[in-house]
Amino acid sequence: MNPYFSRLLLFLSLFISVFTFAQTQANLNIQNFANAKVDDLTDEQVLAFWNQAQEKGLSLTQLQHIANQRNMNLQEFAKLKLRIQNLTQSSNKIKKEESSSNREYFGYENAEENLEEGKNVDSEKEKNYKNANKDKKESQKIFGADLFNNKMLTFEPNLKIATPQNYQLGPDDELVIDVSGYSEVSYKLKITPDGTLRIPQVGLIAVSGLSIEQARKKITNKLASIYGTIQTGETSVNIALGNIRSIKVTVLGEVTNPGTYTLPSLATVFNSLYVSGGPNKNGSFRNIRVIRNGKLLTTIDVYDFLLKGEAKGNVRLQDQDIIKVGSYETRVELKGEVKREGLYEVTAKETLKDVIEFAGGYTNDAYRERIKVYRNTAKEKSVADVPAELINMFVPKAGDVFTIDKVLGRFSNRVQINGAVFRPGYFALDGGLTLAKLIKKADGLTEDAFMSRALIYRLKPDNSLEVISFDISEVLNGKDINLQREDNIQILSKLKLREEYTVSISGEVLIPGEYPFAENMKVEDLIITAGGLKESASKTKIEIARRIKTVDVNSANAPVSNIITYEVNDELKTADGKEIVLLPFDVVSIYRLPGFGAQRNITLEGEVAHPGQYTLTRSNEKISEIIKRSGGLTASAYIEGAVLVRTKKITGVDLLIRKKQLESLKKQSKDTSIAKDRTELELADNYSIVGIELDKILSNSGGENDLKMEEGDIIRIPRETQTVKITGEVLYPISIQYKKGRLFNRYVRGAGGYTHRALKRKGYVVYTNGSAESTRKFLVFNIHPKVKPGSEIIVPPREERRKLSAVEVVGITSSLATLVLIITTLVK
């Protein structure tokens, strides 16, 4: 092989590889990111990739899953993740989220370092995480667990109420002392750390540990030595608590956040439990102890508050109090048909009945005869049934799981009767209930009951279905049938055992259509039912088309219906007094009077002397005659813009063609208002636009351009518009002042010129009269249409051509290289 040619092939292969890699890097996406070299990516590419991932609802953790499935290098993914975190505006939020996500997925804190070292996920830590999730779900099931995590329940003390009389004063409490009467003085004094209060001119008074009432008496006695009128009652002393002190309490044991907390001196036990998060998953809600000065003050059972609203033992705390939450001793789970499923703590004296009451009792669908209990023994699990009569004696043990099932969805004593009875539905299967008795319970048979045959759908012992037929007359005459559970009796109706009978009427009646058939219905009855005859109805041309039930199928000329001609007078009576009785499915046709014609109206709009609605004087009246009747055109009429709008029912192929036109029009331009309005009008209101040349019509009245007017026609004669609208693929779609003689391209330049997507050779003009003219080709020149006042220039876009993908480029280039190699080999 020629060495130059070999070098060419080598260069071509290198070019393909580089081009493919460049395409991959330039178009980083979810499909190809696993193959990317992160160091070669720009910041813009990384951000674009991350935005694409977020639009698809993917987090970095989910991207890690995808990367692992596609065997992406762990070091590369670590780099990619760090780049995303550094480039994102909400970096802190993402790092926090992904720190949690890393622990979720990897099971360790420093995910990046482990990735760089290529370590595998720590299965033990992942197991721990799963266990933590399990514990979280379990704690959510514990009855009362949300009490101290509810934002609407803070148990904060009300600091705006009057000071409780049993409140004990202590250091940092502020007392407000008001002396009023013959002497007026006020003090705001804070109790010192040694528990005393210093009152000017009185001295130190020890008040720490006293109640408000005790302190008031003591201070009053001291003040009486200065203010003598206090003894006589002419001066009074009022003492109130100002700013209260803070206390420190310790919450420990099985709580979510044990520790020492600073609380207001009015705080209670519940307030301390709330700030500490309440009992944890091992904590007891029924054994919370308050210890003061090394002695047990009280024990709290939170269930009293949860179930009865009683805050027993919720005492006011003092400085250095200890709240100790013990571990639960017996906890059981209640599942199934109770109002509150969950885990409940049980004391030694409580039974299963108490646990069910904790759960709010049974639901309406609960099976109460027997409760299933799953219990842990010393060696394995066991299952037992607790009968309803033993529920109030059954003592739960730790770990018991009680399941309350639903009642069965079947009925023990139900039968059903449907069809031609007055009260269909379900009935109780009382002892000895027979079919005749059931019919009597259902208030008997309706008049249309089919007496010779009815059905019983019955379940066999193996629950398969069988049908038993019977004669109703025989059952009612003594040949009765005993019923069984879930029997379904169907009493058939004569009316439903045949096709629904109808008759129909069409033509010149007020309400044509299909009507229910009735025995002895006459033609005249049906006409009245249909609202009566129209003025245009022919009373001498009424036809009745009747079915023929037996058609000779061997005859090609066999009749398929029987036609009866009928006449009536103004009173809807026949001349001979005979009336035809209708049969089911008869079709009555009322025809129009020959030559009957109602007034036909057209509308004249715009620049005429007298616009409005005009009634045609004869069937061939033309446009020029209507214009003349209106008084002629006004001075500002734009005669070349006149348009005729004609009502036309568009159906079938025409409708499909119009829809295709509208779709094509929308693709050509986003704002081609004249043509778009025209086509949408035709589609929506069944109007068609007829382009007319009014100047020729008026100059040659009655000529070939002068069209005959039809019912519903609208002639619109606009005022001359001195603008031209340019839309489509131009740089700045706009309306420009019309100037006589200005060419097509000059108007386009006024709109900024063509865009790069413009299809110049297909530009066209839509005139105000609804007609359009497109650009023609002469040799290599484009011959654009003439522009008139009020017209619209539309420049359509080129068809989009799809760019070749990197894979397609590689395939084509490889094929060409192979072809060149083959040709060279053949030549040699």
Side-chain angles (χ1 to χ4, degrees):
M1 183 182 290
N2 191 314
Y4 294 105
F5 185 75
S6 300
R7 292 174 187 170
L8 177 63
L9 287 180
L10 178 61
F11 173 78
L12 190 60
S13 300
L14 288 172
F15 172 77
I16 293 170
S17 301
V18 172
F19 179 80
T20 305
F21 177 76
Q23 284 292 317
T24 302
Q25 299 294 89
N27 299 295
L28 182 67
N29 53 47
I30 302 300
Q31 284 70 37
N32 64 14
F33 81 97
N35 301 321
K37 296 294 183 184
V38 179
D39 291 336
D40 297 329
L41 295 174
T42 65
D43 290 347
E44 289 75 16
Q45 289 174 318
V46 174
L47 282 175
F49 167 72
W50 176 238
N51 290 334
Q52 183 187 30
Q54 286 184 312
E55 288 175 358
K56 294 181 179 294
L58 298 175
S59 67
L60 285 178
T61 303
Q62 292 168 318
L63 286 176
Q64 174 68 36
H65 282 284
I66 297 171
N68 284 346
Q69 292 172 357
R70 299 182 183 176
N71 299 319
M72 183 178 184
N73 185 284
L74 292 177
Q75 295 181 9
E76 289 295 324
F77 182 79
K79 293 177 185 178
L80 179 61
K81 182 162 65 172
L82 288 173
R83 289 278 300 277
I84 290 172
Q85 289 177 338
N86 292 333
L87 291 172
T88 308
Q89 290 181 353
S90 56
S91 177
N92 293 333
K93 180 179 177 182
I94 290 181
K95 286 179 181 177
K96 182 178 178 182
E97 173 195 343
E98 290 309 312
S99 173
S100 173
S101 300
N102 290 334
R103 288 194 290 274
E104 291 177 17
Y105 185 76
F106 296 103
Y108 40 67
E109 296 290 337
N110 197 343
E112 288 77 11
E113 292 177 6
N114 285 297
L115 276 173
E116 291 172 2
E117 294 171 7
K119 292 184 178 180
N120 294 324
V121 175
D122 188 340
S123 60
E124 185 63 32
K125 290 186 177 180
E126 188 170 312
K127 182 180 177 181
N128 291 339
Y129 171 74
K130 291 180 179 178
N131 289 336
N133 264 348
K134 181 180 178 182
D135 291 342
K136 183 179 179 182
K137 291 180 181 177
E138 185 176 345
S139 67
Q140 290 173 346
K141 292 165 44 178
I142 298 173
F143 178 59
D146 57 348
L147 177 65
F148 299 110
N149 295 305
N150 188 342
K151 293 181 180 180
M152 305 303 292
L153 276 173
T154 63
F155 298 104
E156 290 182 0
N158 188 353
L159 303 180
K160 296 182 180 180
I161 62 173
T163 306
Q165 291 300 314
N166 61 351
Y167 177 79
Q168 289 187 346
L169 297 173
D172 287 337
D173 275 341
E174 183 183 63
L175 289 180
V176 179
I177 304 172
D178 284 321
V179 179
S180 57
Y182 277 103
S183 301
E184 295 285 343
V185 66
S186 179
Y187 303 101
K188 276 190 177 182
L189 304 172
K190 185 175 285 190
I191 300 174
T192 63
D194 59 0
T196 61
L197 200 67
R198 179 181 292 277
I199 302 177
Q201 299 178 358
V202 175
L204 296 175
I205 303 174
V207 294
S208 182
L210 300 180
S211 68
I212 285 289
E213 182 60 25
Q214 292 170 336
R216 188 186 68 77
K217 290 179 180 178
K218 192 171 185 179
I219 293 170
T220 301
N221 290 336
K222 290 286 186 180
L223 289 173
S225 62
I226 299 175
Y227 305 103
T229 52
I230 291 177
Q231 297 289 351
T232 63
E234 296 173 306
T235 299
S236 62
V237 179
N238 183 48
I239 298 175
L241 190 63
N243 293 328
I244 64 174
R245 70 185 185 278
S246 296
I247 60 173
K248 289 186 180 294
V249 297
T250 301
V251 186
L252 49 80
E254 297 294 339
V255 289
T256 305
N257 299 302
T260 300
Y261 294 90
T262 300
L263 302 173
S265 56
L266 292 175
T268 63
V269 179
F270 279 5
N271 186 219
S272 66
L273 289 172
Y274 178 82
V275 297
S276 64
N280 61 21
K281 69 183 183 68
N282 295 321
S284 171
F285 282 80
R286 312 200 66 180
N287 183 23
I288 300 173
R289 292 178 291 169
V290 181
I291 300 170
R292 181 173 294 167
N293 299 325
K295 296 180 181 180
L296 178 64
L297 178 66
T298 185
T299 300
I300 297 176
D301 185 344
V302 180
Y303 277 28
D304 288 334
F305 180 75
L306 291 169
L307 299 171
K308 305 173 187 176
E310 299 175 358
K312 292 179 181 178
N314 187 27
V315 296
R316 186 173 296 109
L317 297 174
Q318 293 185 12
D319 195 40
Q320 303 305 318
D321 278 355
I322 297 173
I323 296 91
K324 181 134 190 311
V325 179
S327 301
Y328 71 86
E329 293 183 3
T330 303
R331 182 182 285 169
V332 299
E333 184 174 1
L334 207 55
K335 299 194 300 185
E337 295 303 312
V338 287
K339 292 173 183 173
R340 282 191 300 267
E341 294 181 291
L343 297 169
Y344 294 90
E345 195 175 340
V346 186
T347 62
K349 296 181 180 180
E350 291 172 337
T351 64
L352 177 55
K353 181 181 179 182
D354 297 312
V355 180
I356 293 172
E357 289 176 356
F358 294 163
Y362 298 105
T363 65
N364 294 336
D365 296 329
Y367 174 62
R368 308 184 187 197
E369 287 298 312
R370 190 176 291 105
I371 295 176
K372 206 174 296 308
V373 55
Y374 297 90
R375 174 165 286 178
N376 298 325
T377 65
K379 184 179 179 181
E380 57 191 1
K381 291 182 179 292
S382 66
V383 63
D385 292 329
V386 183
E389 59 271 14
L390 298 180
I391 287 175
N392 59 347
M393 295 183 285
F394 188 86
V395 179
K397 291 185 178 181
D400 282 356
V401 178
F402 297 96
T403 302
I404 293 88
D405 295 325
K406 271 189 176 183
V407 295
L408 297 177
R410 56 184 285 174
F411 290 83
S412 59
N413 64 336
R414 182 179 72 170
V415 292
Q416 182 180 8
I417 186 168
N418 290 312
V421 291
F422 284 105
R423 295 191 183 277
Y426 293 103
F427 292 87
L429 180 61
D430 301 326
L433 183 67
T434 63
L435 185 54
K437 292 179 181 177
L438 179 60
I439 292 173
K440 186 176 180 181
K441 273 190 173 185
D443 282 352
L445 302 169
T446 59
E447 293 78 359
D448 59 329
F450 185 64
M451 301 295 291
S452 61
R453 197 174 191 86
L455 305 173
I456 299 176
Y457 291 93
R458 175 168 290 175
L459 292 177
K460 296 167 67 176
D462 62 353
N463 265 2
S464 60
L465 199 64
E466 68 173 339
V467 175
I468 301 171
S469 59
F470 61 91
D471 188 312
I472 299 177
S473 301
E474 292 179 358
V475 168
L476 297 179
N477 290 327
K479 194 178 178 180
D480 211 346
I481 300 174
N482 290 322
L483 297 178
Q484 297 181 10
R485 184 184 67 84
E486 294 296 354
D487 276 356
N488 186 347
I489 296 91
Q490 298 289 331
I491 307 296
L492 306 175
S493 166
K494 293 177 184 177
L495 301 178
K496 293 184 178 180
L497 288 175
R498 59 171 171 78
E499 185 180 358
E500 184 180 359
Y501 288 170
T502 60
V503 290
S504 60
I505 185 168
S506 62
E508 299 302 304
V509 289
L510 294 178
I511 313 172
E514 194 173 75
Y515 293 89
F517 169 78
E519 294 288 343
N520 295 317
M521 177 180 275
K522 316 268 190 321
V523 175
E524 294 81 357
D525 300 330
L526 181 57
I527 292 173
I528 292 172
T529 305
L533 299 174
K534 292 182 179 180
E535 186 182 358
S536 57
S538 172
K539 301 180 183 65
T540 61
K541 182 64 173 176
I542 300 175
E543 284 187 355
I544 304 165
R546 182 161 291 170
R547 283 185 178 181
I548 297 177
K549 295 182 179 179
T550 54
V551 177
D552 186 0
V553 296
N554 297 318
S555 173
N557 198 29
V560 294
S561 63
N562 184 20
I563 303 299
I564 303 170
T565 304
Y566 198 64
E567 293 185 14
V568 294
N569 57 23
D570 293 339
E571 302 296 327
L572 295 183
K573 293 182 179 180
T574 58
D576 55 5
K578 294 182 180 179
E579 296 178 335
I580 295 179
V581 178
L582 295 174
L583 297 181
F585 310 110
D586 278 355
V587 177
V588 178
S589 300
I590 311 295
Y591 295 100
R592 195 181 185 90
L593 281 171
F596 180 86
Q599 296 92 332
R600 287 183 286 174
N601 299 317
I602 61 96
T603 303
L604 200 55
E605 299 177 353
E607 297 301 316
V608 291
H610 299 92
Q613 190 176 82
Y614 288 82
T615 301
L616 297 179
T617 57
R618 60 180 194 280
S619 59
N620 63 347
E621 192 167 6
K622 297 189 175 184
I623 294 175
S624 60
E625 296 174 287
I626 293 295
I627 298 293
K628 185 177 180 181
R629 286 174 57 189
S630 70
L633 306 178
T634 65
S636 57
Y638 179 47
I639 195 168
E640 293 184 6
V643 63
L644 171 63
V645 181
R646 176 157 288 173
T647 56
K648 180 182 180 182
K649 186 69 175 176
I650 304 175
T651 58
V653 176
D654 288 340
L655 183 60
L656 292 175
I657 292 172
R658 293 292 171 84
K659 286 183 177 179
K660 289 289 184 183
Q661 289 173 346
L662 183 59
E663 290 172 6
S664 174
L665 193 64
K666 288 179 178 178
K667 288 179 182 178
Q668 290 174 6
S669 175
K670 294 180 180 177
D671 185 21
T672 55
S673 58
I674 294 178
K676 182 178 177 181
D677 289 348
R678 165 182 169 173
T679 311
E680 287 182 342
L681 177 66
E682 293 176 355
L683 289 174
D685 297 329
N686 295 330
Y687 285 106
S688 60
I689 307 299
V690 181
I692 59 174
E693 296 178 287
L694 189 58
D695 51 347
K696 295 181 179 179
I697 291 173
L698 296 180
S699 62
N700 185 20
S701 180
E704 60 179 358
N705 294 315
D706 199 358
L707 301 179
K708 296 177 183 178
M709 301 299 293
E710 296 182 7
E711 167 73 18
D713 279 356
I714 302 172
I715 299 175
R716 292 174 181 164
I717 302 172
R719 185 185 295 269
E720 185 172 0
T721 304
Q722 293 300 312
T723 58
V724 174
K725 191 172 185 178
I726 303 96
T727 59
E729 292 303 320
V730 291
L731 293 175
Y732 187 64
I734 194 174
S735 293
I736 297 177
Q737 181 181 358
Y738 169 78
K739 289 188 179 180
K740 190 174 182 180
R742 180 176 286 183
L743 299 178
F744 185 97
N745 280 330
R746 181 73 180 277
Y747 284 106
V748 172
R749 285 198 297 273
Y754 296 102
T755 67
H756 68 283
R757 296 178 62 248
L759 188 60
K760 301 177 184 178
R761 57 188 176 83
K762 292 293 184 179
Y764 59 97
V765 176
V766 179
Y767 300 107
T768 52
N769 70 346
S771 61
E773 189 175 346
S774 62
T775 300
R776 294 177 288 109
K777 198 77 175 177
F778 178 72
L779 298 177
V780 296
F781 303 104
N782 291 328
I783 309 300
H784 295 295
K786 184 179 179 181
V787 180
K788 297 179 181 180
S791 57
E792 181 176 3
I793 296 173
I794 300 169
V795 181
R798 296 178 185 273
E799 290 186 7
E800 289 288 344
R801 295 184 179 180
R802 187 177 64 84
K803 295 181 180 180
L804 294 176
S805 66
V807 176
E808 291 171 331
V809 171
V810 171
I812 294 171
T813 311
S814 301
S815 300
L816 290 174
T818 304
L819 182 61
V820 171
L821 184 61
I822 292 171
I823 293 172
T824 305
T825 304
L826 290 174
V827 169
K828 281 189 167 293

